[in-house]
Amino acid sequence: MKILQIMCHPDYNGEHRVSNILAKIGEEKLVEKGFSSVEKINLYDPSVHIPVMDKFMFNYEEEKLTEKEQHDKIRQKEILNQWKSTDAVFIYMPLHNFNVVSKFKDYIDNIVIVNETFKCEVESLIGLDDSDKQITFVITSGGEFDKHIQYTNLDFAVQYVRGIFGVLGIDKIKVLRVEGLDLAFNDKEQIVKKAIVDLKAWIEEFSRKNKK
Ligand SMILES: Cc1cc2nc3c(=O)[nH]c(=O)nc-3n(C[C@H](O)[C@H](O)[C@H](O)COP(=O)(O)O)c2cc1C
């Protein structure tokens, strides 16, 4: 089984970041459970190029693209192939202004491609991705969604992730919220400890379901 770990923290190598700590622990747990093939992509690492889409490059012949666009098209194919060949995905992300971080949106624009991962029919979009693909979305946030009433209407990030992967035909989405990390009255250490326990427990379950 091939697993892709997508790290989305703008402080891409900040070792104190909860998102990065959980990604490391998640990877170690997967390896411990016998999943040896964990590929990683760290979206904000300057050495990782995520093309920013301004046209549907798949629809253009090479000669109609600029040199930069030709490079981007090759890179987009790499990103898309990596995504398509993956059986399970672990995403680690901080919540920024109630939404997914911008490089993750750029990443999505490289994999949500008509006739590659979904197709359009008259009144609906049909997912072409592997419907068995399991997505795990670990989202850290400063505030708490079940305590602040305003947050209910601003819960875009999780909705977006569920919605966009739904377009691809994927509905196996496990969400792990790590909330309230920046609230002065909370014990951050305890929240992180609980998140580690929850993540490890989920990987145990994931492992039982996916052992071949
Ligand atoms: C630019 C920016 C925007 C943020 N927006 C939100 C927000 O809308 N809601 C929220 O609960 N936390 C918000 N936060 C707080 C982060 O989500 C929180 O500090 C982070 O998840 C902690 O995890 P980390 O250690 O991995 O950075 C924001 C932080 C930054 C830097």
Side-chain angles (χ1 to χ4, degrees), residues 6 11 16 21 31 49 51 68-69 76 78 100-101 107 113 136 143 145 153 156 163 166 169 174 181 204-205 210:
I6 306 178
D11 185 10
H16 63 294
I21 291 169
V31 172
H49 179 47
K68 180 187 174 300
E69 287 168 343
Q76 183 179 34
E78 279 172 13
V100 296
V101 293
Y107 179 84
I113 299 170
T136 301
F145 279 81
N153 291 334
F156 305 128
K174 172 76 177 177
L181 289 166
E204 287 284 347
E205 188 183 332
N210 291 285

Side-chain angles (χ1 to χ4, degrees), residues 2-209:
K2 199 175 138 193
I3 296 176
L4 178 63
Q5 176 174 298
I6 306 178
M7 297 164 73
C8 308
H9 207 299
D11 185 10
Y12 70 96
N13 60 2
E15 288 179 7
H16 63 294
R17 298 294 185 172
V18 176
S19 186
N20 296 339
I21 291 169
L22 293 174
K24 190 163 178 281
I25 289 171
E27 183 191 355
E28 284 165 3
K29 183 74 186 170
L30 285 167
V31 172
E32 181 197 310
K33 297 309 293 180
F35 297 100
S36 52
S37 179
V38 183
E39 269 186 34
K40 287 186 277 183
I41 181 164
N42 194 335
L43 300 184
Y44 282 88
D45 183 332
S47 68
V48 173
H49 179 47
I50 310 291
V52 177
M53 291 300 128
D54 64 356
K55 59 171 70 160
F56 292 117
M57 284 193 291
F58 270 65
N59 299 345
Y60 287 78
E61 302 298 324
E62 299 296 307
E63 53 275 13
K64 299 224 170 92
L65 296 172
T66 64
E67 200 176 325
K68 180 187 174 300
E69 287 168 343
Q70 287 178 25
H71 282 121
D72 280 354
K73 187 173 172 181
I74 291 167
R75 177 64 185 140
Q76 183 179 34
K77 278 189 180 157
E78 279 172 13
I79 292 172
L80 181 64
N81 288 339
Q82 183 185 47
W83 174 267
K84 280 185 176 176
S85 64
T86 294
D87 303 300
V89 183
F90 283 74
I91 302 166
Y92 296 89
M93 187 189 301
L95 182 75
H96 278 181
N97 286 313
F98 300 100
N99 221 323
V100 296
V101 293
S102 52
K103 283 234 176 178
F104 180 74
K105 176 58 172 57
D106 291 338
Y107 179 84
I108 289 291
D109 289 344
N110 284 273
I111 61 162
V112 179
I113 299 170
V114 69
N115 297 329
E116 291 287 335
T117 45
F118 75 100
K119 65 179 176 174
C120 295
E121 295 207 336
V122 181
E123 285 186 3
S124 58
L125 304 173
I126 312 285
L128 300 176
D129 209 323
D130 173 7
S131 60
D132 259 350
K133 195 174 277 184
Q134 171 73 61
I135 311 275
T136 301
F137 182 41
V138 180
I139 174 100
T140 64
S141 62
E144 292 173 347
F145 279 81
D146 54 351
K147 295 223 173 85
H148 297 145
I149 192 71
Q150 295 103 315
Y151 271 54
T152 309
N153 291 334
L154 288 166
D155 198 5
F156 305 128
V158 169
Q159 272 199 54
Y160 175 68
V161 165
R162 285 193 196 283
I164 197 69
F165 291 133
V167 168
L168 306 189
I170 303 167
D171 58 9
K172 286 166 71 174
I173 300 177
K174 172 76 177 177
V175 176
L176 291 175
R177 290 187 199 258
V178 185
E179 301 179 80
L181 289 166
D182 297 343
L183 299 177
F185 50 80
N186 277 345
D187 183 342
K188 185 173 174 179
E189 209 177 304
Q190 282 308 314
I191 297 172
V192 176
K193 271 190 187 157
K194 183 178 177 303
I196 293 170
V197 170
D198 291 349
L199 177 62
K200 286 183 172 174
W202 163 241
I203 292 174
E204 287 284 347
E205 188 183 332
F206 168 85
S207 162
R208 278 195 299 277
K209 286 179 182 159

